């Protein structure tokens, strides 16, 4: 049974992470953030995903404070942006992020994108931040298989989460299988393909059959393939809808979504970001 406020994955470091999270990219206005975080919390979301790059850590921290719940009731993910990578910048920028968020620790800190020049020193800083208790778990985002294998050559601890783009038009099954083999939980960013996938006729048909919406079908598919999801919405009704996932897709329905793959990204190609050292414009 999927209960958003109780359903978690056990991470390889022993910590628990909620399966369902709330994506906050492009939510920057304080009022909108406060209302969205409140609606999400009431709907059962316990995980909130931000990044230095989003420039909304302060408004998110303020919105979480306004919930008036104890710190251990929410799971906060933050990410170190490309220009803050490298050993000292990672440490200093994370300390600034904690100030912005108004907290002593983040539950999970991610390397937002792998970049070649700062690859190992950034990860050393992550391991130190974890030892200091400033972050509870450490992970990565947008890492390919070869980058994880490279990291393994020098890491004392491996990432426990890899947050990657995946949705029905970009299923990434080989990458997810590799993460699983390495005891890394996959977390889907843009799980709805930024809305792109939702008018797919097959998806609409499955949704009608279950009396659900296409978004709910996609998110349920993700849960059944064992990954974590962080859909974003600033629409109260959709925030609630995206948490109502207590139904079951058949194996055949799962397969129908599996074969929608078109290898179609909505975001950047990790290998290019790795080489360029920063995200480029689409
Ligand atoms: N690690 C990374 O590099 C990375 C990259 C991108 C994103 N992320 C994270 O992943 C989160 C989610 O990704 P995303 O924001 O790019 O895209 P997404 O969650 O796939 O899609 C968000 C879009 O779908 C719409 N939507 C949401 N629920 C819906 C529903 N039930 N029915 C119809 N439309 C719906 C939203 O509209 P409204 O808001 O107008 O309702 C919004 O336009 C981000 O917010 C961010 O936290 C991480």
């Amino acid at each position: 049974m999927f209960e958003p406020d109780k359903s978690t994955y056990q991470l390889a470091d022993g910590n628990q992470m909620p399966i369902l999270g709330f994506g906050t990219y492009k939510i920057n206005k304080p009022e909108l953030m406060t209302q969205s975080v409140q609606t999400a919390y009431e709907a059962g979301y316990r995980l909130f995903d931000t990044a230095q790059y989003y420039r909304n850590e302060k408004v998110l921290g303020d919105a979480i404070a306004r919930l008036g719940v104890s710190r251990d009731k929410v799971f906060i993910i933050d990410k170190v942006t490309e220009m803050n990578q490298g050993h000292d910048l990672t440490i200093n920028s994370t300390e600034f992020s904690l100030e912005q968020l108004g907290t002593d620790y983040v539950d999970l800190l991610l390397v937002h994108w792998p970049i070649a020049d700062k690859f190992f020193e950034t990860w050393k800083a992550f391991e130190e931040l974890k030892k200091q208790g400033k972050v509870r778990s450490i992970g990565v985002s947008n890492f390919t298989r070869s980058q994880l294998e490279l990291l393994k050559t020098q890491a004392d601890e491996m990432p426990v989460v890899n947050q990657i783009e995946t949705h029905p038009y970009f299923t990434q099954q080989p990458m997810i299988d590799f993460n699983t083999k390495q005891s890394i939980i996959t977390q889907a960013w843009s799980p709805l393909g930024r809305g792109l996938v939702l008018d797919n006729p097959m998806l609409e048909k499955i949704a009608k059959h279950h009396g659900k919406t296409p978004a709910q079908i996609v998110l349920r598919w993700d849960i059944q393939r064992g990954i974590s999801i962080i859909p974003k919405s600033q629409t109260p009704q959709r925030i609630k809808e995206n948490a109502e996932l207590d139904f079951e897709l058949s194996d055949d329905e799962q397969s129908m979504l599996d074969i929608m793959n078109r290898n179609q990204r909505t975001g950047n190609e990790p290998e290019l970001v790795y080489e360029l050292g920063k995200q480029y414009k689409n």
Side-chain angles (χ1 to χ4, degrees):
M1 188 159 140
F2 179 76
E3 296 177 82
D5 54 342
K6 298 201 186 95
S7 300
T8 59
Y9 285 128
Q10 162 114 14
L11 303 176
D13 60 13
N15 293 330
Q16 300 286 326
M17 180 180 78
I19 293 177
L20 173 70
F22 185 68
T24 67
Y25 185 38
K26 297 209 167 142
I27 304 180
N28 292 83
K29 296 209 171 91
E31 265 172 45
L32 184 61
M33 184 68 92
T34 299
Q35 182 207 20
S36 302
V37 166
Q38 182 78 39
T39 307
Y41 191 83
E42 282 165 9
Y45 295 74
R46 293 293 177 264
L47 184 162
F48 296 91
D49 178 77
T50 184
Q52 294 172 346
Y53 181 77
Y54 303 168
R55 298 186 183 279
N56 65 5
E57 293 160 301
K58 171 118 179 63
V59 288
L60 176 63
D62 290 348
I64 290 173
R66 276 190 205 106
L67 289 174
V69 299
S70 60
R71 175 65 185 84
D72 61 350
K73 291 281 181 279
V74 293
F75 188 104
I76 302 175
I77 300 183
D78 207 343
K79 315 185 195 80
V80 174
T81 196
E82 297 83 84
M83 67 177 229
N84 288 336
Q85 289 194 36
H87 180 273
D88 293 357
L89 274 172
T90 293
I91 303 268
N92 295 340
S93 69
T94 301
E95 282 169 358
F96 184 65
S97 291
L98 291 176
E99 272 173 42
Q100 295 288 297
L101 284 162
T103 182
D104 297 336
Y105 68 92
V106 289
D107 296 275
L108 173 63
L109 188 70
L110 305 178
V111 180
H112 202 152
W113 290 85
I115 57 171
D117 290 349
K118 310 282 174 60
F119 193 76
F120 291 112
E121 45 167 328
T122 299
W123 191 249
K124 280 282 153 245
F126 268 55
E127 291 173 336
E128 283 174 35
L129 285 162
K130 180 166 182 264
K131 281 203 190 90
Q132 291 164 8
K134 291 176 180 158
V135 311
R136 296 267 161 101
S137 294
I138 50 177
V140 295
S141 179
N142 301 303
F143 272 46
T144 62
R145 176 181 177 143
S146 46
Q147 286 150 357
L148 286 172
E149 280 171 340
L150 180 63
L151 189 64
K152 207 173 187 176
T153 63
Q154 293 195 27
D156 291 331
E157 276 186 56
M158 280 298 279
V160 293
V161 168
N162 189 8
Q163 187 186 103
I164 57 171
E165 177 178 357
T166 177
H167 45 74
Y169 290 166
F170 192 47
T171 54
Q172 294 245 53
Q173 201 53 52
M175 187 67 233
I176 294 170
D177 292 343
F178 182 75
N179 284 338
T180 306
K181 269 196 209 124
Q182 304 294 315
S183 305
I184 296 170
I185 296 287
T186 302
Q187 186 168 62
W189 65 254
S190 294
L192 306 173
R194 297 183 168 156
L196 193 77
V197 303
L198 300 178
D199 60 358
N200 180 288
M202 180 61 78
L203 211 49
E204 283 174 345
K205 204 171 157 192
I206 299 172
K208 206 169 167 201
H209 176 70
H210 284 272
K212 296 282 172 186
T213 66
Q216 288 172 315
I217 299 299
V218 171
L219 298 172
R220 181 67 216 184
W221 165 69
D222 276 331
I223 291 176
Q224 287 183 220
R225 61 187 189 135
I227 71 178
S228 167
I229 41 177
I230 48 168
K232 172 262 172 186
S233 177
Q234 55 192 49
T235 314
Q237 184 47 40
R238 290 174 173 174
I239 295 174
K240 289 182 207 152
E241 175 187 318
N242 294 345
E244 286 164 10
L245 304 173
D246 196 14
F247 62 100
E248 193 96 17
L249 294 173
S250 68
D251 291 348
D252 281 353
E253 289 167 334
Q254 282 289 114
S255 307
M256 283 179 213
L257 272 89
D258 292 341
I259 60 171
M260 283 180 199
N261 185 36
R262 300 174 179 177
N263 285 326
Q264 184 180 346
R265 289 184 189 276
T266 65
N268 296 306
E269 157 65 59
E271 290 294 347
L272 275 178
V273 179
Y274 181 71
E275 282 168 29
L276 292 170
K278 60 178 165 44
Q279 295 185 54
Y280 57 94
K281 294 232 181 282
N282 284 320

